[in-house]
Amino acid sequence: MMMMMMMMPLCPPACSLRCGERAQPEWLDVISDTEADIGSDLRWSCVASGKPRPAVRWLRDGQPLTSQNRIEVSGGELRFSKLVLEDSGMYQCVAENKHGTVYASAELTVQALAPDFRLNPVKRLIPAARSGKVIIPCQPRAAPKATVLWTKGTELLVNSSRVTITADGTLILQNISKSDEGKYTCFAENFMGKANSTGILSVRDATKITLAPSSADINVGENLTLQCHASHDPTMDLTFTWSLDDFPIDFDRSEGHYRRASAKEAIGDLSISNAQLRHSGRYTCTAQTVVDSASESATLTVRGPPGPPGGVVVRDIGDTSVQLSWSRGFDNHSPIARYLIEARTLLSSQWKQMRTNPINIEGNAETAQVVNLIPWMDYEFRVLASNILGIGEPSLPSSKIRTKEAAPTVAPSGLGGGGGAPNELIITWTPTLRDYQNGDGFGYIVSFRRKGSQDWLRARVPHAESLHFVYRNESIAPYTPFEVKIKAYNRKGEGPESLTAIVYSAEEEPKAAPYRVTAKSVLSSEMDVSWEPVEQGEVTGVLLGYEIRYWKDGDKEEAADRVRTAGLVTSAHVTGLNPNTDYHVSVRAYNRAGTGPPSPSTNVTTTRPPPKRPPGNISWTFSGSTVSIKWDPVVAKADESAVTGYKMLYRQDSHSAPTLYLASKSHIDIPIPEDFTHAFVQIRPQLTTATLTTATPTTATLTTATLTTDTLTTATVTTDTLTTDTDHSHGTSMMVEDSGTRPAPHIVVMATNSLLMVALISSLEL
């Protein structure tokens, strides 16, 4: 140990055992503590590495050990012959060279024991199956190894056709019968002493498969039950296990495909649900007790769609076709009928079935041509096999390929144009999709000429994304028709031309203005405008409609509000005006080039708003077949339209047709039928617009009442709870019950239900 300590400074602390060409010893194999029987042999070995190669020597209890009698020392090996108790002790092997020393230690214990069955007695009760085999171990603890003898009762057993005693003392009995029952004793002896242990053999009925599973063929998704019944000794428990191709079936992890079909002890049927291809194989049913077992097997074939083909290879790549080859996959027990080929492009992740040559690829084929491909397109291909049970899983995708380039085969679509600045012809089209470009260097060739001329002008427009071409020339008159056609090109050539389209050059603003413009106030915030149209010949282009401009008196025309009509209509209804306001109105024609000159402006004044206060204090009196209705007149304020009369809408009940009455004063007499019990009336002021010479009824506030046949029928109604917007009606309501149902007349005030009724009635137009 001191030598090792002195050698350590030769290497730096951070260095491994190897420093350049020097290395101290390092153990590769060492001894360990060992227990050995007296009289047995023992070999120990110590192996060390180092440079120079270390020498190995041995110590016992700290003293050098050399070869003697039964002990042989040879370098790193130590051999003992016929160990004795005195060989026990602490042993060390020492490896050393000039750079260091290493030690390894182990204790050797030599045992001498008389046979002892206390840890491993012969099994007390030994069950065995009739006609079967039983193995009875005899494993006493002993040192040296004990000599073993077996007896049945008082009979010494020796090896025979049915009886075998192995070298380690195990007793094996075969083809067991009832006569083999009895006591079996193992005797063990060595020079240290002797011992024995006894067990009783009991012969039981053998386990037998009485109904074995049968081989079957089924299709994917079908169900099947494999039968397995067994008989056994009734004094013992019977269990069934199933295996598939010698691998035990775990029912808890079968995802519902496997289950036991019966809970009866003697029935071990296996139910298979929704069978899949992986469920094919050899099924083994094992019926087992603690003493024996019996097994029977059957083969299940699950037929399904074919497995995926393999090794898809693309070759002979053209502009619209490729040659595909593949290797045959599993047919899954049903012959392959045909193959399908699918492809996808860089433009879509969806797989699509492709056209092939031959059209139908037979099940014995392993190559086919794919046709009708798009030139200059990236493709991946895959192959699917099918049989009578369906289409199988696809192959892995082929490597990505690009078809060769070709000239365009499709003319651009959506050819049209028009508009733009003066002296311009604008031609437009829909950009061609990547699918139809067929090659690099894609662009467009536009051809055009004035309609009726002979010579075509051509312009080349590069880039696939281009979508228009503008031709400028001072000689182009407004709205001149041109014949236009277009075709595509790429670096492989030019494609077909489109059909000829007619495109007009830029339009010019209309030169004429509408005339006979009139404006008429309809309500306090609305007016109607009408005009005579411009002649079509005065519009160089397509007339899109008219623009109405209107502005308040005192404002500039530039601040005018605008309303546009579409088409050839010659009138417009304008809303959102201010009441009692003077407006100037003009009309212009417009097309895509802009608006034309304005018409002479005309003036219009919107009416005053209607009075906000409705007729009030309605009362009525019955006289024979007539009812006289009175109300307080509506007096307009200075900023409201004057009241010229009243309209009354009379209705017998909510289901009858209403009758309209006009009154110039604030009262009216109307006839009533003999069976009259009640009626509904609405009263609304009638207004006169300030700008017209004849009276025109307009919307105003109203009062609604319910009339009954009471002898004394006067009532006062209020309108405090009713509000409305300008130009919409106010209303009031009341109900007086028929005196025929009440002995004394009375007055009933307004109710919420009556207000709801008023809201519904006031929406009617008088």
Side-chain angles (χ1 to χ4, degrees):
M1 196 63 160
M2 291 296 296
M3 183 180 296
M4 183 175 65
M5 295 291 292
M6 294 174 63
M7 297 301 293
M8 287 297 291
L10 294 176
C11 288
C15 186
S16 67
L17 292 177
R18 184 175 299 278
C19 297
E21 295 299 319
R22 303 172 298 166
Q24 66 183 26
E26 183 177 353
W27 289 120
L28 300 178
D29 187 18
V30 296
I31 56 177
S32 60
D33 293 343
T34 303
E35 292 182 350
D37 291 347
I38 190 170
S40 63
D41 297 335
L42 176 66
R43 175 184 173 274
W44 267 349
S45 175
C46 285
V47 181
S49 64
K51 194 166 186 179
R53 183 176 182 179
V56 179
R57 55 191 179 88
W58 291 85
L59 303 175
R60 182 172 68 183
D61 296 332
Q63 300 300 318
L65 182 64
T66 58
S67 297
Q68 52 182 297
N69 297 328
R70 300 171 297 95
I71 300 175
E72 180 183 352
V73 178
S74 177
E77 287 195 354
L78 176 60
R79 295 187 181 90
F80 295 87
S81 299
K82 298 185 182 303
L83 286 168
V84 296
L85 294 175
E86 289 76 10
D87 292 329
S88 299
M90 182 64 70
Y91 290 80
Q92 291 177 302
C93 52
V94 183
E96 55 189 352
N97 63 14
K98 64 181 181 179
H99 301 301
T101 303
V102 291
Y103 295 82
S105 302
E107 183 178 9
L108 173 61
T109 303
V110 179
Q111 297 179 329
L113 301 171
D116 187 352
F117 282 98
R118 285 178 296 178
L119 294 179
N120 293 301
V122 174
K123 191 174 180 182
R124 173 69 70 182
L125 179 61
I126 307 167
R130 193 187 306 271
S131 301
K133 180 174 73 171
V134 66
I135 299 174
I136 309 174
C138 180
Q139 298 173 332
R141 185 181 182 191
K145 182 179 178 181
T147 302
V148 173
L149 296 175
W150 278 94
T151 65
K152 178 192 175 188
T154 59
E155 176 188 358
L156 179 64
L157 298 178
V158 295
N159 286 334
S160 66
S161 60
R162 295 180 55 247
V163 178
T164 301
I165 302 175
T166 65
D168 65 356
T170 299
L171 174 63
I172 302 175
L173 302 178
Q174 302 189 65
N175 195 20
I176 292 173
S177 64
K178 196 69 174 176
S179 62
D180 291 321
E181 286 187 330
K183 292 183 179 181
Y184 288 80
T185 302
C186 173
F187 292 91
E189 182 178 2
N190 64 13
F191 76 89
M192 294 293 292
K194 63 177 73 175
N196 63 77
S197 181
T198 300
I200 299 174
L201 178 65
S202 174
V203 179
R204 310 292 177 88
D205 291 338
T207 302
K208 296 179 181 179
I209 300 293
T210 58
L211 180 59
S214 300
S215 297
D217 290 0
I218 61 174
N219 296 332
V220 166
E222 293 182 347
N223 303 329
L224 175 71
T225 297
L226 294 177
Q227 294 180 310
C228 186
H229 299 184
S231 63
H232 67 296
D233 191 293
T235 63
M236 310 189 77
D237 292 332
L238 178 68
T239 59
F240 287 91
T241 59
W242 284 88
S243 63
L244 172 58
D245 294 331
D246 297 328
F247 288 96
I249 294 175
D250 187 343
F251 289 86
D252 294 333
R253 297 185 179 182
S254 68
E255 298 177 349
H257 291 292
Y258 295 121
R259 65 180 180 85
R260 301 186 187 277
S262 175
K264 295 181 180 180
E265 185 182 27
I267 299 177
D269 294 353
L270 174 66
S271 178
I272 305 174
S273 301
N274 188 23
Q276 301 299 305
L277 293 172
R278 65 180 183 274
H279 297 144
S280 294
R282 183 175 178 81
Y283 285 82
T284 301
C285 171
T286 300
Q288 187 171 11
T289 66
V290 295
V291 297
D292 70 339
S293 63
S295 299
E296 291 289 348
S297 299
T299 300
L300 174 62
T301 300
V302 181
R303 305 183 188 280
V312 179
V313 177
V314 186
R315 55 186 175 84
D316 299 340
I317 301 172
D319 55 358
T320 61
S321 66
V322 298
Q323 193 72 28
L324 228 61
S325 61
W326 59 88
S327 59
R328 183 182 180 87
F330 293 110
D331 64 9
N332 291 329
H333 313 295
S334 181
I336 296 174
R338 60 190 293 256
Y339 287 97
L340 303 174
I341 295 177
E342 294 182 337
R344 65 182 177 188
T345 69
L346 59 80
L347 304 177
S348 173
S349 61
Q350 298 294 320
W351 290 94
K352 296 181 179 179
Q353 185 173 343
M354 306 302 293
R355 293 181 180 270
T356 59
N357 181 22
I359 296 175
N360 293 318
I361 307 172
E362 299 296 334
N364 57 358
E366 293 186 5
T367 183
Q369 186 182 43
V370 185
V371 297
N372 288 7
L373 299 178
I374 300 172
W376 196 54
M377 182 62 65
D378 292 333
Y379 281 98
E380 288 179 302
F381 299 92
R382 69 182 187 182
V383 182
L384 302 89
S386 67
N387 58 21
I388 60 173
L389 298 175
I391 299 175
E393 296 180 6
S395 67
L396 293 175
S398 69
S399 57
K400 188 178 294 184
I401 63 98
R402 174 172 288 186
T403 51
K404 293 183 178 180
E405 295 180 89
T409 56
V410 176
S413 62
L415 185 61
N423 309 120
E424 284 186 352
L425 172 66
I426 297 180
I427 302 171
T428 62
W429 60 89
T430 302
T432 300
L433 298 176
R434 171 68 175 79
D435 307 44
Y436 305 105
Q437 294 176 17
N438 290 6
D440 203 4
F442 188 85
Y444 306 91
I445 298 175
V446 180
S447 301
F448 56 95
R449 66 183 179 186
R450 284 185 176 86
K451 188 176 181 181
S453 63
Q454 297 296 321
D455 298 330
W456 291 90
L457 298 176
R458 285 166 52 99
R460 186 177 289 260
V461 183
H463 309 305
E465 301 81 14
S466 300
L467 46 73
H468 74 280
F469 169 73
V470 180
Y471 175 63
R472 297 181 179 87
N473 193 301
E474 296 294 332
S475 65
I476 299 178
Y479 207 60
T480 300
F482 280 80
E483 293 178 306
V484 177
K485 55 186 178 180
I486 189 172
K487 62 182 176 181
Y489 72 89
N490 60 24
R491 63 185 183 184
K492 284 292 183 178
E494 298 178 1
E497 281 190 320
S498 69
L499 297 175
T500 301
I502 301 298
V503 177
Y504 287 83
S505 62
E507 301 177 37
E508 190 175 48
E509 297 92 341
K511 298 179 180 179
Y515 59 99
R516 293 181 184 172
V517 177
T518 61
K520 181 169 58 177
S521 177
V522 180
L523 296 175
S524 59
S525 61
E526 300 176 12
M527 67 177 174
D528 285 334
V529 182
S530 62
W531 58 89
E532 293 295 329
V534 298
E535 298 294 335
Q536 186 63 39
E538 297 175 312
V539 180
T540 310
V542 178
L543 178 65
L544 297 181
Y546 294 90
E547 181 178 274
I548 298 94
R549 299 187 183 185
Y550 54 97
W551 62 98
K552 296 177 184 178
D553 187 32
D555 290 349
K556 294 183 178 181
E557 183 178 354
E558 290 77 11
D561 291 317
R562 305 180 185 191
V563 174
R564 278 194 169 188
T565 67
L568 302 179
V569 298
T570 58
S571 64
H573 184 72
V574 181
T575 61
L577 305 177
N578 292 334
N580 195 26
T581 303
D582 294 331
Y583 282 93
H584 301 282
V585 181
S586 69
V587 182
R588 303 170 184 242
Y590 72 91
N591 59 14
R592 284 191 291 183
T595 55
S599 67
S601 64
T602 188
N603 300 328
V604 64
T605 302
T606 54
T607 63
R608 296 175 182 178
K612 296 180 180 180
R613 178 175 172 272
N617 292 331
I618 301 172
S619 64
W620 56 90
T621 304
F622 292 98
S623 176
S625 60
T626 303
V627 60
S628 178
I629 305 173
K630 297 181 180 180
W631 58 89
D632 289 345
V634 176
V635 179
K637 296 181 180 179
D639 58 349
E640 295 177 337
S641 295
V643 177
T644 61
Y646 298 90
K647 294 179 180 180
M648 186 181 75
L649 194 65
Y650 171 88
R651 189 164 53 182
Q652 186 73 28
D653 53 50
S654 59
H655 302 291
S656 61
T659 302
L660 177 65
Y661 294 93
L662 300 179
S664 59
K665 303 296 183 179
S666 59
H667 60 85
I668 190 170
D669 295 334
I670 60 174
I672 58 174
E674 293 182 359
D675 58 349
F676 174 83
T677 57
H678 68 280
F680 299 93
V681 296
Q682 287 180 311
I683 301 172
R684 185 193 304 266
Q686 185 175 349
L687 310 177
T688 301
T689 56
T691 58
L692 299 177
T693 57
T694 58
T696 301
T698 59
T699 304
T701 55
L702 70 99
T703 295
T704 302
T706 302
L707 309 182
T708 67
T709 56
D710 289 326
T711 56
L712 178 60
T713 53
T714 60
T716 301
V717 295
T718 63
T719 60
D720 294 341
T721 58
L722 298 178
T723 59
T724 183
D725 295 331
T726 304
D727 293 344
H728 290 79
S729 302
H730 294 272
T732 58
S733 167
M734 68 175 296
M735 169 72 79
V736 181
E737 302 241 354
D738 190 339
S739 61
T741 60
R742 298 281 180 172
H746 60 278
I747 298 175
V748 180
V749 298
M750 274 191 309
T752 303
N753 290 341
S754 299
L755 292 177
L756 288 174
M757 180 182 66
V758 171
L760 293 172
I761 295 174
S762 64
S763 66
L764 300 173
E765 188 67 35
L766 293 183

